[in-house]
Amino acid sequence: MHLAYPAVLAALLFCVGLYGVLARRNAILVLMSVELMLNAVNLNLVAFDVWLRDTLHSGQALTLFTIAIAAAEIGIGLAIVLAVYRNRGTSDIDRLRDTAETDEAEKLPDTAETDPADADADADADGTEPTPGRADGKTGKTKKAEATT
């Protein structure tokens, strides 16, 4: 068998995987494309091991390590994708990046609308006052410093 056949097949597999990583938006399809690329590398390792007639079969041994790493990668990758899908409701890579930026902006309290004069008016009779920037008078209260003279 010629070395060109598996080498060309591995190059085609790698190119299809590279296209999938660069063009796809779904995280699961990106993981599948990475697996195609790893399988192309495995095919090259075995083909060159057979072509060189290595007595230690180092190409095949390295292929076994690559398969084990690929299995661990796909297991962890799918677990992350499923967790993100449960939290966000989508596995679209571009939408995940966009929602991460907008979620942080929605969670921050809007301190521009609170008036510092209102914070002084909400001071309780027990000597506490609300933390500046908070509209509610109940959370974040601090004790007033009593001057001892």
Side-chain angles (χ1 to χ4, degrees):
M1 177 172 78
H2 295 287
L3 182 62
Y5 298 133
V8 168
L9 180 63
L12 289 174
L13 276 176
F14 193 85
C15 288
V16 169
L18 185 64
Y19 173 75
V21 167
L22 296 176
R24 298 294 176 188
R25 302 289 180 237
N26 191 346
I28 294 176
L29 292 177
V30 170
L31 286 174
M32 289 174 60
S33 299
V34 170
E35 290 295 320
L36 271 176
M37 293 167 64
L38 286 172
N39 285 332
V41 170
N42 288 340
L43 182 60
N44 266 336
L45 285 172
V46 171
F48 277 98
D49 183 54
V50 169
W51 184 65
L52 293 173
R53 294 190 175 108
D54 187 15
T55 56
L56 295 176
H57 299 292
S58 57
Q60 294 177 18
L62 190 57
T63 299
L64 289 176
F65 285 115
T66 308
I67 290 171
I69 290 171
E73 175 257 334
I74 201 69
I76 292 172
L78 281 177
I80 291 171
V81 168
L82 287 175
V84 167
Y85 182 78
R86 286 182 183 168
N87 289 333
R88 304 281 183 165
T90 184
S91 62
D92 187 14
I93 295 172
D94 290 336
R95 290 188 62 207
L96 290 177
R97 189 178 316 128
D98 294 340
T99 57
E101 293 171 359
T102 58
D103 284 348
E104 293 298 323
E106 291 173 1
K107 289 181 183 178
L108 293 175
D110 191 15
T111 59
E113 295 178 8
T114 59
D115 189 17
D118 292 339
D120 291 335
D122 290 338
D124 290 340
D126 63 348
T128 60
E129 66 180 16
T131 305
R134 299 287 301 205
D136 59 350
K138 297 181 181 178
T139 58
K141 291 187 177 185
T142 58
K143 283 282 190 187
K144 287 183 181 178
E146 295 181 17
T148 56
T149 56

